[in-house]
Amino acid sequence: MKTLVIVAHPNLENSVINKTLMNRLQQEEDITIQDLYATYPDRRINQEHEQQLLLAHDRIVFQFPFYWYSSPSLLKEWQDVVLSYGWAYGPEGKQLQGKEFILAISTGGPEVSYQAGSYNQYSMSELTKPFQATANLTGMRFLPTYKIHGARFLNNEQIQESAEALVQHLNKTY
């Protein structure tokens, strides 16, 4: 299975978690990495190129730090440009149907803060509903999210373990 990992981190060079995850995934033969902020520093997304990348892969992964209960802005812009009517959805928009879709999310806060009644008031499943709805609209199969909570509190060994766990998560058959 060919996997496309779309990495969206506006400051990847200073990231510990997302940079480590991306570097580890680059070692995998059937995984293609698309670093949005490196590819589009001018924020002008090449729709045709991105759509061709999607067509060439069976599994699509959005990897990003959880910012303000969503993704960094360039990933949202990417969705607006690439997942166009008539291509990704609508009567003729069937290009992504049957593909698998996974989120790989890192948070600064601990896991306990992402549940009803806790600090953030909502679970990660509730907060990621717009991504699930996108999968539904485009005909992709939404698979379990890979989450790394408390990223700022992890030591180097835990970060490396998280990277290996992500590889295992992406290699699962669902």
Side-chain angles (χ1 to χ4, degrees), residues 10 21 28 44-45 71 74 77 82 91 101 104 106 132 138 171:
L21 296 177
E28 295 298 303
R44 293 183 183 166
I45 296 166
S71 64
L74 190 56
E77 177 70 13
V82 177
F101 183 57
S106 60
Q132 294 175 44
T138 61
N171 285 330

Side-chain angles (χ1 to χ4, degrees), residues 88-100:
Y89 69 100
E92 305 299 318
K94 302 186 184 316
Q95 300 299 317
L96 299 176
Q97 285 190 352
K99 293 187 183 286
E100 297 178 345

Side-chain angles (χ1 to χ4, degrees), residues 7 15-16 19 32 45 49 55 64 70 73 87 92 101 108 114-116 121 128 134 158 162 165:
V7 178
S15 165
V16 176
K19 184 169 58 173
T32 302
I45 296 166
H49 174 72
L55 291 173
F64 59 91
S70 189
S73 63
W87 189 85
E92 305 299 318
F101 183 57
Y114 289 94
Q115 59 185 333
Q121 298 296 316
T128 59
T134 296
Q158 292 169 315
S162 295

Side-chain angles (χ1 to χ4, degrees), residues 17-18 21 64-67 104-108 146-149 151:
I17 294 291
N18 281 277
L21 296 177
F64 59 91
F66 207 52
Y67 281 8
I105 300 173
S106 60
T107 69
Y146 180 79
K147 299 169 286 239
I148 302 173
H149 290 289

